[in-house]
Amino acid sequence: MALTATVFKAALDISDLRRHHYHSYSLTLARHPSETDERMMLRLLAFALYAHEDLEFTRGLSSTDEPDLWQKSPSGEIALWIELGQPTVKRLRKARGLARQTVVLSYGGRTADQWWKDNQRELAELPTLTVIEIATAASKALAELAQRTMNLQCTLDDDSLWLSNETTNLEIQPSVLLQAQG
C-alpha cells in the first residue's frame, strides 16, 4: 500500500514591508511521505518571501519536472521558479530556460555550504538566479512551528523575517548568497 501525503492547512498573514505587500493567504500544503517538517515549513517560508496571488505550491517531490513553488502569468508563462535544497546546475539551467526568475532556498548546514562552494562559479553565470541560504538553527526552529492547522503571522523587512503563532515568535535572517541581475 502506497503512503499518501499528509495535508496541512495554514492561515498566513503577510506584512511585507520591502514590497508593500499586505495580504492574508489560506494555504494547503501536502507533505510528501518522504518530506520532513523542516522542508515543508521551508516551502511555506519561500511562499512568504515571494508571496503573490499567482504563487503556488507544485507537486514538488513527486515531480521532477516542477519546482517546489512557481508563479505563472495568466498566459501560462513561468515568472518565478523556486527550488529548495541543493539542485544541480543542470536543473537550474533548465529552470532558466523556462522561467524569467529562479530562486534557490538553500538549507542543510555543511551540505549546503559544500554545494555552494562546489557550484558558486557556475551559478554566478546564471543572471536570473537568486540563491538564499537559511541557517540550520533557523530551519530547525521553523520545523517546530509545524502543525496540521496553523495560524501564522509573517512580517518581512530588509534583512529579517519574523514568523509567529500563538506561542512562538521566530526571527529568521535569510542570507543572500547570489542576487539575480536586473
Side-chain angles (χ1 to χ4, degrees):
M1 184 163 120
L3 297 173
T4 59
T6 303
V7 176
F8 288 74
K9 300 279 188 178
L12 181 62
D13 293 323
I14 295 179
S15 297
D16 188 338
L17 306 174
R18 306 164 306 158
R19 299 184 300 144
H20 304 290
H21 178 84
Y22 309 95
H23 196 76
S24 295
Y25 294 91
S26 180
L27 304 170
T28 301
L29 292 96
R31 190 185 69 202
H32 190 274
S34 66
E35 186 175 35
T36 63
D37 283 346
E38 178 183 24
R39 188 176 192 288
M40 181 194 67
M41 292 301 289
L42 283 162
R43 286 193 293 131
L44 187 64
L45 179 72
F47 186 94
L49 287 169
Y50 291 92
H52 187 277
E53 63 186 23
D54 296 326
L55 184 62
E56 59 187 40
F57 299 104
T58 66
R59 293 179 287 172
L61 290 175
S62 47
S63 173
T64 58
D65 294 332
E66 296 177 356
D68 292 289
L69 295 96
W70 60 18
Q71 178 185 329
K72 289 186 174 182
S73 69
S75 63
E77 293 176 308
I78 302 170
L80 180 61
W81 178 291
I82 301 176
E83 294 275 348
L84 266 65
Q86 294 86 40
T88 64
V89 174
K90 180 180 177 182
R91 180 167 175 83
L92 294 173
R93 282 191 183 117
K94 175 186 170 188
R96 181 190 66 186
L98 298 172
R100 282 182 280 186
Q101 293 289 317
T102 306
V103 174
V104 173
L105 200 66
S106 179
Y107 69 99
R110 287 191 305 243
T111 305
D113 293 342
Q114 190 62 49
W115 170 81
W116 176 246
K117 182 180 174 188
D118 292 347
N119 297 291
Q120 181 178 4
R121 186 174 302 132
E122 288 180 272
L123 295 175
E125 295 172 3
L126 303 175
T128 60
L129 176 65
T130 296
V131 178
I132 299 170
E133 182 180 32
I134 304 299
T136 301
S139 65
K140 298 291 185 195
L142 191 60
E144 296 296 319
L145 294 178
Q147 298 177 19
R148 295 287 299 272
T149 302
M150 298 177 269
N151 291 307
L152 301 169
Q153 294 74 43
C154 181
T155 302
L156 298 97
D157 72 7
D158 290 333
D159 60 353
S160 293
L161 175 146
W162 289 270
L163 194 63
S164 59
N165 63 14
E166 299 81 18
T167 61
T168 305
N169 189 18
L170 176 62
E171 180 181 4
I172 298 173
Q173 295 180 319
S175 177
V176 178
L177 302 177
L178 178 66
Q179 181 65 53
Q181 300 167 11

